[in-house]
Amino acid sequence: MDPIAPAIILDRPQLAENIGAVARAMANFGLSDLRLVAPRDGWPQERAWASASGADWPLNAARVYDTVAEAIADLTLVQATTARPRELQLPVLTPREAVEEAHAEAVQDRRTGLLFGAERAGLETADIALCQTVVTLPVDPRFRSLNLAQAVIILAYEWRMRIDAAAPANFRPGPEPAEASSVMGLYGHLEDELEAAGFFHPPEKKASMVQNLRSALGRARFSEQEVRTFRGVVTALSRGRGRVLEKIARQKAQSSGKETA
Amino acid sequence: MDPIAPAIILDRPQLAENIGAVARAMANFGLSDLRLVAPRDGWPQERAWASASGADWPLNAARVYDTVAEAIADLTLVQATTARPRELQLPVLTPREAVEEAHAEAVQDRRTGLLFGAERAGLETADIALCQTVVTLPVDPRFRSLNLAQAVIILAYEWRMRIDAAAPANFRPGPEPAEASSVMGLYGHLEDELEAAGFFHPPEKKASMVQNLRSALGRARFSEQEVRTFRGVVTALSRGRGRVLEKIARQKAQSSGKETA
C-alpha cells in the first residue's frame, strides 16, 4: 500500500481549463484528491473535462468548499505553494523537501495537502497562515510566471519520485558489461588480425596504437553479446580481406600464367 | 558561471501553442536553447508567442532543422525523452539521473540536448538510436498521456535543482528555536501561575498534567521571540486574573462593608 498522496487544493481557481490541466497533471503521477475553494465560474465546468485529456476521475471526485479552512479541515499538514512567503514565520521548502515532509506524515496514515493560489492573485496571507510550511519552486528570477498545472505537476512528480524509489520495470541500466577476459579476447583477436594486415606501422608505434584502440573501445563497455558481435565483425573483415588477397593472388597467377604461356 | 543548460529539441512538433508552452517552461527554469525539427505548421508561428506568456527569448532564438541529426550536430550527449525505449540497448534513466549525466558533461563545457518527440507519434527508433541515453518520466501506468510542456518542465526543473543546489535567498528554515533554558523559563512561569490559579487538580495528577503541557508546547519549537511573547501572554492572563480576583475581593469587601454598616 502506497501512503496517501497529498490532496491538491486550488484556492479560487479562475479558468476551468486550468483545473482540467491540473487534473491531468495529478493523474500523470498518481494523485487523485482534488479540492476546489470557491472556483470563480462555479462547478462543474465542462471545459475542465475537455482539457483533462481523459483524466476525468480527479474532476469527477472533486469537492468544492467556500473557504480554505473548510477545505483543509481533515488534513494534519498543509503546505502553501507560493513564491511570496510574506512576513509569516513559516519554513520555506523546495518541492523536494516539502514532499519529504508530506511523505513523513503520510506514512503515519495522516492526510496532507498542497494549497495553490489563484492564477494571478496567488494566496492570501490569512490562508498561508493556516499552513505549516511554504513551498517555493526554484524558478529563474528572470521569469517567475509559472502556469498552475506546471506548478502542480512538479510537486506531483516529486511525490511519485519519493514513493516510487524503486524504478519502474522498464527502467534499466545499460547492457551488463562483459567480463574483462571476454573483452581481452576481442582485443587480442582484433590486434592479431590488424598485425596480419600490416596495420601496425611503423612497428615501434604498435604499443601506443594498441593502447589507443583499447581505451577507445573500452569506453563503449560492450556486453558479452556485443563482444561476440564484434568478434564476428573482425572475423568477417579479416576473412573478406583474405578472400580479396586470394583473389588478387589468383588473378596475378592467372595473368603471369598467361604471360608465361 | 553556470554550466551550459541542455538544448531542448522538439522533433516534428505539431501545435504552435505547445511550442510556446515549452518556451515558457524553459524560461521558468533558466533554459533558452530551443531547436525545432520540421515543425508541422512551419515557423515562425504567431500562436507560439501568444502562448509563451512573455517567455519570448527562446522562441526568438529558436533554430529550425530538417532532421534530428542536423539539430544535434554540435552536441556531445543527447538524451531521448520517451516512455517507449523499444529494442535499443540504451540506458533508461529517470529525469534526475539524466540531468546528473547531462550536468557531468556540461561542467566540462560540453553541450547536451534533450530530444522530445511529436505530441502523439513520439520519437522514431532511428532518432532514438542517435541518442546516448533514454529518459523516461515515472508516470503512473494508469495515465501515461503527458503534455509536451509538462515533460519539458520536469526536466528543466531537475536541471535547475541540480545547478542551484544552494537554495535561493528567500528559502529559509523555520525560526531558530529558542534554547532550552528559555523554554524552561516559560514552562516554569506558566506552571507557577497555573498552580496559583488552582489548575492542577487533583494534586497527584500535577506531574502528568505538566508533562502533557510541556510536550504539547515543545512541538511548536518556539523561537526566543515567541518565548518572550508567550511569557507576556502568561503574565497578561495571570495579572488579569489577579485583577479579577482583586475586583471580586473589593466587591465582597464593599458588600460586607455595607452589610456591617
Side-chain angles (χ1 to χ4, degrees):
Chain A
M1 265 302 284
D2 283 338
I4 305 164
I8 298 295
I9 307 140
L10 305 183
D11 183 28
R12 294 166 297 128
Q14 298 177 349
L15 298 173
E17 287 84 353
N18 283 342
I19 301 173
V22 164
R24 181 180 180 180
M26 291 171 67
N28 281 144
F29 293 110
L31 276 59
S32 59
D33 184 352
L34 176 60
R35 305 176 182 201
L36 307 175
V37 179
R40 187 189 64 184
D41 300 332
W43 191 257
Q45 286 279 324
E46 208 177 294
R47 284 168 301 137
W49 275 260
S51 66
S53 297
D56 291 347
W57 57 98
L59 297 175
N60 296 341
R63 283 172 282 180
V64 180
Y65 303 87
D66 290 331
T67 64
V68 170
E70 290 167 272
I72 67 174
D74 61 323
L75 309 178
T76 60
L77 171 70
V78 186
Q79 301 171 309
T81 306
T82 174
R84 289 159 295 187
R86 322 282 168 84
E87 65 281 13
L88 297 168
Q89 281 298 309
L90 292 175
V92 179
L93 308 180
T94 64
R96 196 162 301 162
E97 293 166 339
V99 157
E100 194 57 49
E101 185 184 53
H103 186 263
E105 288 288 302
V107 293
Q108 299 175 75
D109 267 336
R110 298 185 194 142
R111 289 182 179 277
T112 70
L114 285 156
L115 178 62
F116 294 83
E119 282 93 336
R120 287 182 184 280
L123 289 170
E124 288 179 9
T125 305
D127 290 323
I128 301 175
L130 298 175
C131 300
Q132 286 73 51
T133 43
V134 164
V135 194
T136 295
L137 282 85
V139 291
D140 188 332
R142 289 167 296 183
F143 192 72
R144 295 183 175 282
S145 164
L146 196 67
N147 172 276
L148 180 58
Q150 298 279 52
V152 169
I153 205 167
I154 287 170
L155 282 146
Y157 158 77
E158 282 284 6
W159 174 261
R160 189 149 179 94
M161 287 293 282
R162 182 63 186 80
I163 62 162
D164 204 31
N170 68 336
F171 282 68
R172 57 173 189 245
E176 182 92 9
E179 288 180 10
S181 59
S182 308
V183 177
M184 290 307 297
L186 170 62
Y187 291 169
H189 184 181
L190 172 65
E191 291 153 13
D192 286 350
E193 292 295 346
L194 289 174
E195 177 80 74
F199 175 84
F200 295 116
H201 184 80
E204 63 270 22
K205 289 212 172 159
K206 180 179 173 183
S208 69
M209 292 170 85
V210 163
Q211 261 177 32
N212 292 343
L213 287 172
R214 289 182 175 192
S215 63
L217 287 173
R219 286 198 307 272
R221 307 196 73 202
F222 289 142
S223 67
E224 295 287 356
Q225 176 57 53
E226 289 163 341
V227 166
R228 284 192 292 275
T229 302
F230 279 90
R231 290 195 70 143
V233 166
V234 171
T235 300
L237 294 177
S238 50
R239 278 192 195 152
R241 189 191 69 241
R243 275 199 293 277
V244 170
L245 291 175
E246 279 163 26
K247 198 176 168 189
I248 292 169
R250 218 164 32 239
Q251 286 173 339
K252 276 190 180 167
Q254 284 174 353
S255 61
S256 65
K258 274 180 197 162
E259 278 167 21
T260 57
Chain B
M1 265 302 284
D2 283 338
I4 305 164
I8 299 295
I9 307 140
L10 305 182
D11 184 28
R12 293 168 295 130
Q14 298 178 350
L15 297 173
E17 287 83 353
N18 283 343
I19 302 174
V22 164
R24 181 178 180 181
M26 291 170 67
N28 280 144
F29 293 111
L31 276 59
S32 59
D33 184 352
L34 176 60
R35 306 176 182 200
L36 308 174
V37 179
R40 186 188 65 185
D41 300 332
W43 192 258
Q45 286 280 325
E46 207 176 296
R47 285 169 300 138
W49 275 260
S51 67
S53 297
D56 291 346
W57 58 99
L59 298 175
N60 296 340
R63 283 172 282 180
V64 180
Y65 302 87
D66 290 331
T67 64
V68 170
E70 290 167 272
I72 67 173
D74 61 320
L75 309 178
T76 60
L77 172 70
V78 186
Q79 302 171 309
T81 307
T82 174
R84 288 159 295 186
R86 323 283 167 83
E87 66 278 16
L88 297 168
Q89 280 299 308
L90 292 176
V92 179
L93 308 180
T94 65
R96 196 164 300 164
E97 293 166 340
V99 157
E100 194 58 47
E101 185 185 51
H103 186 263
E105 286 288 302
V107 293
Q108 299 175 74
D109 267 336
R110 298 186 194 141
R111 289 182 179 278
T112 71
L114 285 156
L115 178 63
F116 295 83
E119 281 93 338
R120 287 184 185 279
L123 288 171
E124 290 180 6
T125 305
D127 290 323
I128 301 175
L130 298 175
C131 300
Q132 286 73 51
T133 43
V134 165
V135 194
T136 295
L137 282 85
V139 291
D140 188 333
R142 289 167 296 181
F143 191 73
R144 294 182 177 282
S145 163
L146 195 66
N147 172 277
L148 180 58
Q150 299 279 53
V152 169
I153 206 167
I154 287 170
L155 281 144
Y157 158 77
E158 282 285 7
W159 174 261
R160 190 153 179 92
M161 286 293 281
R162 182 61 186 79
I163 63 162
D164 205 31
N170 68 336
F171 282 66
R172 57 174 189 244
E176 182 91 9
E179 289 179 10
S181 59
S182 307
V183 177
M184 290 307 298
L186 170 62
Y187 292 169
H189 184 181
L190 172 65
E191 291 152 12
D192 286 351
E193 291 295 345
L194 290 173
E195 178 79 75
F199 175 85
F200 296 116
H201 185 81
E204 62 270 25
K205 290 213 173 159
K206 180 180 173 184
S208 70
M209 293 170 84
V210 163
Q211 262 176 31
N212 292 343
L213 287 172
R214 289 182 176 193
S215 64
L217 287 174
R219 288 197 305 274
R221 308 196 72 203
F222 289 142
S223 67
E224 294 287 356
Q225 176 57 53
E226 289 163 343
V227 166
R228 285 193 291 274
T229 301
F230 279 91
R231 291 197 70 144
V233 166
V234 172
T235 300
L237 294 176
S238 50
R239 280 193 194 154
R241 189 191 70 241
R243 278 199 290 276
V244 171
L245 291 177
E246 279 165 25
K247 197 175 169 189
I248 293 169
R250 216 164 34 238
Q251 286 172 340
K252 277 191 179 166
Q254 283 174 352
S255 63
S256 66
K258 274 178 197 162
E259 280 168 21
T260 56

